[in-house]
Amino acid sequence: MLNALVAYAAEEGAAHNPLIPAWYDIIWSSVCFIVILFIFWKVALPRMKKLLDERSAAIEGNIAKADEAQRKAEAALEEYTSQLAEARKEAGEIRDAAREDGKKIVAEAKETATAEAARLTATAHSQIEAERQTALVSLRSEVGTLALDLAGGVIGETLSDDKKAQAVVDRFLAELEASEGAKA
């Protein structure tokens, strides 16, 4: 049976080539192709072109926005850097001013302490001098009283004349101070 089919195909093939379609298939296929091409050309292609143009515009807009954002970021970075440098400079100036103020405060404190020490020293000297004078007066009166009592015991009489007794005591103390001044 296979042989019969091959023989039949060989007879038909001599009259008609199986690789070339019939004329009516070529015409109807061409008409369908032209209709589809026309619809594609008038409907699908403009829509695709519009879609691609929108995408292109969106991409270009995004690129422009990205460039603008990058320029803004660079400007902000430059401004930040300048502000940082200015802040560092200002901090240095503040630090220097604080050091100067600290030096002034220390100098004022030293001056105040020196003045206070001088005042306290002067007060102490005057107080010591006052106490020395008080002690000297007290000592003179006690030494005078003791000297009069001793002189009265040696003489055997009481010295009741205060002016005379005071003159004797003062002369005695003056001689005592003079003898101590000569030793020094």
Side-chain angles (χ1 to χ4, degrees), residues 17-19 23 54 78 80 87-89 122-123 127 138 140 145 147:
N17 188 356
L19 293 178
W23 284 107
E54 287 175 359
E78 186 176 315
Y80 170 75
R88 284 184 179 161
K89 180 182 174 187
T123 303
Q127 189 175 10
S138 174
R140 279 183 185 231
T145 306

Side-chain angles (χ1 to χ4, degrees), residues 1-24:
M1 180 144 145
L2 190 54
N3 283 339
L5 280 174
V6 171
Y8 177 70
E11 278 179 25
E12 279 289 322
H16 179 54
N17 188 356
L19 293 178
I20 299 177
W23 284 107
Y24 63 87

Side-chain angles (χ1 to χ4, degrees), residues 70-114:
Q70 185 175 2
R71 274 186 251 120
K72 285 180 181 178
E74 288 173 356
L77 178 62
E78 186 176 315
E79 182 180 343
Y80 170 75
T81 305
S82 67
Q83 287 177 351
L84 183 62
E86 185 178 320
R88 284 184 179 161
K89 180 182 174 187
E90 187 177 327
E93 290 172 358
I94 290 171
R95 199 173 30 249
D96 292 342
R99 283 187 187 133
E100 290 299 318
D101 289 345
K103 287 179 184 177
K104 287 178 185 176
I105 290 170
V106 167
E108 288 174 4
K110 284 182 181 179
E111 289 175 11
T112 304
T114 304

Side-chain angles (χ1 to χ4, degrees), residues 90-154:
E90 187 177 327
E93 290 172 358
I94 290 171
R95 199 173 30 249
D96 292 342
R99 283 187 187 133
E100 290 299 318
D101 289 345
K103 287 179 184 177
K104 287 178 185 176
I105 290 170
V106 167
E108 288 174 4
K110 284 182 181 179
E111 289 175 11
T112 304
T114 304
E116 184 68 19
R119 187 187 62 80
L120 288 176
T121 303
T123 303
H125 283 296
S126 66
Q127 189 175 10
I128 289 171
E129 184 62 30
E131 287 179 8
R132 188 175 83 66
Q133 290 296 330
T134 304
L136 189 61
V137 167
S138 174
L139 184 63
R140 279 183 185 231
S141 71
E142 287 181 25
V143 167
T145 306
L146 285 174
L148 287 175
D149 287 344
L150 286 175
V154 169

Side-chain angles (χ1 to χ4, degrees), residues 26-43:
I26 291 173
I27 291 173
W28 283 110
S29 295
S30 296
V31 169
C32 289
F33 178 74
I34 290 173
V35 168
I36 291 173
L37 182 64
F38 180 76
I39 291 172
F40 182 76
W41 193 272
K42 290 295 182 180
V43 177

